[in-house]
């Protein structure tokens, strides 16, 4: 009888612990969601009054109420476009080599090690490389081209990893069918494999775009200006970007500039979060498609 | 016949060309890695020719931009240690709890809903986190801790913890997800509750994966620049007090590049010495994390 009571007490205690843990874990999750919303709402409250057409179409100014983000937006669009133009072909090509062609030898494993290493290098160190290699050694200066090349090196490992994953997900039968008909590997890739792998690769590219748009540290390293009162007219022009403009405004003591920073943040968040949501949506659709195919 | 041969020949030539081209593309990664290492070593060597390595690691002041120059890395190391330490203290418990919840408790629907939202947290640009730390979290904390200065290690540390949280939770969840179902069922068969299975079976089995996720998060935190440049201040101090302005290694590098320091000078070379140390830390952490993840793969796959 006494034993039974003890077991009962034990079970009650266990159940209570179960509940406490569940509440704790759920509130951890809730906490991080609350932070995300606080972040967005904070930016909206501070920045929304400043966000209007004039803000989007004006140059920065010493008077906060006249300042705008036009050169920063144009700079961001240029740099990101150039970065993607450089990094996507290189990344997909590199991924194809490693997944399709690479023999198992020392050179291949050297490449693998390099990519794994580069994935963990802080972005500011890429900025130092860009400064030494592109801005100084190749004498490209603080230009759009320097910025784009630096960011391209930064995102290259991300694209390679994403592209390899989608290449690996291609069913072997697709390859074999093409090769059995006498296609070379490149022909099989071009006409059969890449079109099927493309949506997966695209998901990775969208995430890369979002990353490149939000990146500030490497561009500050290569000397992208924090105050630009003109639009870049060639790939060798100096430039600024949205995150750098925001950084510049946040670092000033005046409250009015902080409002500008918040308005800039609304624009930046709108772009990056839309891109993130888009890639998540695309991926979930892909997953659904491939799982329905399997059964 | 003649035509066929020509087509075949062309296809073969194309194949050889593409193969070589793709090889060159993938080899860019090797060049980049060598470029980074070479640049850091070369410029640091110049630096260490003029500043002794001993004083670099033992001097307690960092004032390369002042008239009286000191090159002691300790204050910067201390600043980095403070912010990343606070970040891990925030991210580890939250991240592991969330991972256990998503992997062991949540229904597929909840998981499908929550994971993308956590991923969005990872997609927020770091300048935005900087703004949030400086103008939202610091004023909020000031109400509780009146002695907190406007720039401090505490607030960017906490926000950095939120920033690396998705990394911890998603990699830890992957590790827990990989724990074979049979282990859980063995636990249930012995009459364990869900909590006991989660904490006494799944968590220990996934431990090396969870540790790897923490190490990767740490490495990300050490390299984070904008957040600490904006919210932690620009004052290299040898202190473990999280309430006063400090300076991290990354913030120093950013500060020098924002100013007008001529290339080739000793001041300019300092950023490469600091960068080299930063690179070594992150590299070691990444290698360690990779080793750990391989280990948990070997056990179960």
């Amino acid at each position: 009888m006494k034993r039974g009571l003890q077991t009962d007490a034990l079970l009650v205690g266990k159940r209570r612990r179960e509940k406490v843990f569940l509440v704790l874990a759920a509130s951890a999750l809730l906490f991080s969601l609350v932070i995300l919303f606080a972040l967005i709402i904070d930016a909206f409250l501070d920045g929304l009054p400043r966000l209007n057409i004039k803000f989007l179409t004006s140059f920065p100014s010493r008077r906060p109420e006249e300042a705008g983000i036009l050169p920063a937006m144009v700079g961001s669009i240029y740099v990101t476009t150039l970065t993607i133009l450089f990094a996507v072909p290189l990344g997909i090509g590199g991924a194809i080599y490693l997944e399709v062609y690479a023999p198992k030898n020392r050179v291949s494993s050297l490449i693998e090690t390099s990519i794994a290493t580069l994935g963990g290098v802080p972005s500011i160190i890429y900025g130092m490389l860009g400064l030494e290699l592109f801005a100084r050694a190749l004498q490209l200066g603080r230009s759009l081209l320097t910025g784009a090349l630096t960011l391209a090196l930064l995102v290259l490992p991300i694209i390679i990893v994403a592209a390899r994953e989608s290449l690996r997900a291609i069913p072997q039968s697709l390859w074999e069918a093409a090769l059995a008909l006498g296609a070379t590997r490149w022909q099989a890739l071009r006409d059969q494999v890449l079109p099927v792998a493309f949506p997966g690769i695209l998901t990775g590219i969208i995430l890369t775009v979002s990353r490149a748009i939000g990146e500030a540290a490497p561009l500050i390293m290569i000397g992208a200006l924090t105050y630009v009162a003109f639009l870049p007219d060639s790939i060798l022009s100096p430039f600024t970007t949205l995150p750098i403009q925001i950084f510049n405004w946040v670092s000033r003591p005046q409250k009015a500039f902080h409002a500008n920073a918040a308005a800039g943040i609304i624009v930046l968040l709108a772009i990056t979060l839309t891109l993130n949501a888009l890639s998540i949506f695309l991926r979930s659709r892909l997953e659904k498609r491939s799982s329905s195919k399997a059964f | 016949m003649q035509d066929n041969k020509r087509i075949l020949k062309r296809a073969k030539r194309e194949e050889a060309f593409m193969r070589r081209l793709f090889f060159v593309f993938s080899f860019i990664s090797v060049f980049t890695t060598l470029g980074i290492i070479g640049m850091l070593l070369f410029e640091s060597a110049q630096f260490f020719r003029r500043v002794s390595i001993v004083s670099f690691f033992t001097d307690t002041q960092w004032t390369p931009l002042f008239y009286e120059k000191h090159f002691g890395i300790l204050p910067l190391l201390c600043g980095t240690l403070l912010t990343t330490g606070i970040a891990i203290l925030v991210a580890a418990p939250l991240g592991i709890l969330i991972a256990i919840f998503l992997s062991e408790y949540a229904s597929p629907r909840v998981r499908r809903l929550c994971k993308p939202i956590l991923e969005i947290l990872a997609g927020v640009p770091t300048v935005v986190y900087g703004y949030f730390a400086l103008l939202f979290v610091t004023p909020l904390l000031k109400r509780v801790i009146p002695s907190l200065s406007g720039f401090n290690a505490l607030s960017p540390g906490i926000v950095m913890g939120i920033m690396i949280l998705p990394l911890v939770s998603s990699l830890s969840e992957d590790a827990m997800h990989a724990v074979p179902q049979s282990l859980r069922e063995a636990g249930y068969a012995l009459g364990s509750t869900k909590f006991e299975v989660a904490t006494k079976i799944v968590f220990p089995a996934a431990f090396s994966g969870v540790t790897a996720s923490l190490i990767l998060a740490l490495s990300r935190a050490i390299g984070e620049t904008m957040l600490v440049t904006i919210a932690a201040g620009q004052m290299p101090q040898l202190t473990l007090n999280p309430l006063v302005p400090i300076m991290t290694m990354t913030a120093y590098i950013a500060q020098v590049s924002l100013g007008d320091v001529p290339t080739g000078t000793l001041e300019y070379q300092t950023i490469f010495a600091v960068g080299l140390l930063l690179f070594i830390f992150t590299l070691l952490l990444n290698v360690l994390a990779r080793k750990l993840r391989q280990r948990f793969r070997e056990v179960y796959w």
Side-chain angles (χ1 to χ4, degrees):
Chain A
M1 197 57 219
K2 208 174 165 206
R3 261 196 100 142
L5 271 178
Q6 256 177 0
T7 329
D8 273 0
L10 200 70
L11 275 179
V12 168
K14 276 187 177 188
R15 244 170 244 155
R16 194 175 304 138
R17 232 172 297 151
E18 186 87 2
K19 261 184 206 146
V20 168
F21 179 75
L22 198 59
V23 168
L24 215 63
S27 46
L29 192 61
L30 209 64
F31 175 71
S32 49
L33 301 189
V34 166
I35 297 269
L36 181 62
F37 287 121
L39 192 140
I40 294 170
I41 290 168
D42 179 46
F44 266 90
L45 287 181
D46 297 350
L48 211 51
R50 280 291 294 127
L51 193 63
N52 50 38
I53 294 294
K54 217 180 130 228
F55 181 73
L56 297 177
T57 55
S58 298
F59 289 91
S61 158
R62 249 172 305 158
R63 280 186 290 273
E65 63 282 358
E66 285 174 14
I69 55 169
L70 181 66
M73 285 221 298
V74 173
S76 275
I77 292 169
Y78 282 172
V79 164
T80 312
T81 311
L82 278 173
T83 302
I84 291 303
L85 282 180
F86 293 134
V88 166
L90 293 180
I92 297 180
I96 289 175
Y97 180 77
L98 291 170
E99 280 304 308
V100 180
Y101 291 108
K104 270 206 157 75
N105 61 17
R106 275 206 177 152
V107 179
S108 304
S109 73
L110 179 67
I111 298 173
E112 299 266 4
T113 315
S114 296
I115 292 170
T117 307
L118 287 178
V121 172
S123 62
I124 194 162
I125 289 182
Y126 282 97
M128 296 166 84
L129 181 68
L131 174 67
E132 288 272 280
L133 181 64
F134 302 126
R136 289 183 59 205
L138 299 177
Q139 302 203 321
L140 299 173
R142 314 171 151 194
S143 62
L144 274 172
L145 190 57
T146 302
L149 288 170
T150 307
L151 287 186
L153 290 185
L154 170 76
V155 298
L156 198 54
I158 309 174
I159 296 187
I160 291 180
V161 170
R164 287 184 76 174
E165 264 169 31
S166 19
L167 282 174
R168 223 175 291 152
I170 301 298
Q172 199 58 32
S173 53
L174 193 69
W175 274 108
E176 281 158 6
L179 296 179
L181 289 173
T184 61
R185 281 197 273 196
W186 166 239
Q187 285 168 334
L189 264 168
R190 187 187 56 196
D191 299 332
Q192 311 296 333
V193 177
L194 278 183
V196 180
F198 186 70
I201 299 177
L202 189 65
T203 315
I205 294 174
I206 295 171
L207 271 185
T208 309
V209 174
S210 153
R211 172 87 191 267
I213 289 179
E215 201 60 72
L219 295 180
I220 285 179
M221 280 313 297
I222 61 143
L225 303 176
T226 51
Y227 183 90
V228 172
F230 51 85
L231 293 182
D233 54 5
S234 84
I235 54 170
L236 292 175
S237 299
F239 68 103
T240 191
T241 65
L242 206 42
I244 294 178
Q245 183 65 66
I246 292 168
F247 169 66
N248 177 267
W249 279 332
V250 174
S251 339
R252 296 186 191 211
Q254 298 95 323
K255 260 222 149 79
F257 279 115
H258 293 168
N260 284 0
I265 283 174
I266 298 175
V267 177
L268 185 63
L269 276 182
I271 299 170
T272 53
L273 296 191
T274 308
L275 288 170
N276 272 287
L278 187 66
S279 90
I280 290 166
F281 172 73
L282 263 177
R283 199 183 50 204
S284 73
R285 269 192 53 179
L286 276 176
E287 273 166 9
K288 255 185 215 150
R289 222 177 50 188
S290 61
S291 63
S292 65
K293 231 187 237 165
F295 297 109
Chain B
M1 218 40 215
Q2 204 68 346
D3 246 20
N4 254 345
K5 251 185 197 159
R6 246 209 332 259
I7 290 173
L8 260 177
K9 222 171 158 188
R10 226 184 79 188
K12 265 189 189 151
R13 218 175 325 137
E14 231 177 53
E15 168 82 4
F17 173 76
M18 294 316 282
R19 187 198 159 101
R20 256 175 239 142
L21 184 71
F22 291 150
F23 172 73
V24 172
F25 284 4
S26 69
F27 211 74
I28 288 175
S29 303
V30 178
F31 282 133
T32 311
T33 314
L34 292 180
I36 288 174
I37 296 173
M39 157 196 84
L40 291 174
L41 285 179
F42 175 77
E43 295 276 357
S44 303
Q46 310 257 359
F47 172 78
F48 285 119
R49 212 173 287 161
R50 289 155 82 175
V51 176
S52 88
I53 244 180
V54 177
S55 74
F56 185 65
F57 282 110
T58 54
D59 197 331
T60 56
Q61 281 182 56
W62 180 261
T63 55
L65 306 179
F66 290 1
Y67 180 70
E68 203 195 303
K69 295 183 192 316
H70 284 273
F71 298 96
I73 191 79
L74 287 177
L76 297 186
L77 275 179
C78 209
T80 298
L81 186 75
L82 253 182
T83 48
T84 52
I86 294 168
I88 286 293
L89 282 182
V90 171
L94 285 179
I96 292 172
L97 270 178
I98 290 174
I100 293 179
F101 178 75
L102 288 180
S103 155
E104 305 301 311
Y105 285 86
S107 65
R109 239 192 86 193
V110 172
R111 196 177 315 149
R112 256 207 317 274
L113 208 75
C114 288
K115 285 193 83 167
I117 297 179
L118 283 170
E119 273 174 55
I120 282 179
L121 219 42
V124 173
T126 57
V127 273
V128 178
Y129 279 122
Y131 176 91
F132 186 64
L134 180 69
L135 298 171
F136 184 81
V137 177
T138 298
L140 199 69
L141 287 172
K142 237 179 180 163
R143 282 194 209 159
V144 191
I145 317 165
S147 63
L148 189 73
S149 34
F151 296 105
N152 59 72
L154 184 61
S155 150
I158 292 172
V159 175
M160 197 189 266
I162 303 293
M163 185 187 92
I164 59 175
L165 176 65
L167 198 67
V168 177
S169 68
S170 100
L171 290 178
S172 296
E173 200 226 320
D174 286 348
M176 291 174 191
H177 206 75
V179 173
Q181 196 57 29
S182 56
L183 284 187
R184 289 189 190 90
E185 278 156 9
Y188 290 134
L190 290 173
S192 308
T193 62
K194 224 171 191 180
F195 173 70
E196 285 165 338
V197 168
T199 52
K200 291 181 185 160
I201 295 175
V202 176
F203 182 70
F207 189 70
S208 56
V210 174
T211 315
S213 81
L214 289 176
I215 292 172
L216 276 182
L218 184 64
S219 148
R220 173 80 53 88
I222 289 177
E224 172 44 37
T225 309
M226 298 318 293
L227 175 50
V228 285
T229 306
I230 291 171
Q234 306 278 344
M235 274 229 309
Q237 287 196 69
L238 191 58
T239 173
L240 284 177
N241 179 0
L243 307 180
V244 296
I246 46 107
M247 189 184 230
T248 65
M249 296 195 282
T250 49
Y252 172 71
I253 298 174
Q255 186 204 26
V256 169
S257 70
L258 279 167
D260 243 345
V261 174
T263 54
T265 58
L266 187 60
E267 291 88 332
Y268 179 75
Q269 284 156 2
T270 53
I271 64 172
F272 292 93
V274 177
L276 180 64
L277 207 58
L278 191 65
F279 178 76
I280 292 172
F281 282 150
T282 50
L283 183 67
L284 287 179
L285 290 173
N286 275 284
V287 170
L288 191 64
R290 226 179 304 151
K291 286 260 148 68
L292 277 169
R293 287 180 79 185
Q294 265 163 15
R295 219 175 71 188
F296 100 79
R297 280 209 176 129
E298 269 161 23
V299 176
Y300 294 118
W301 291 336

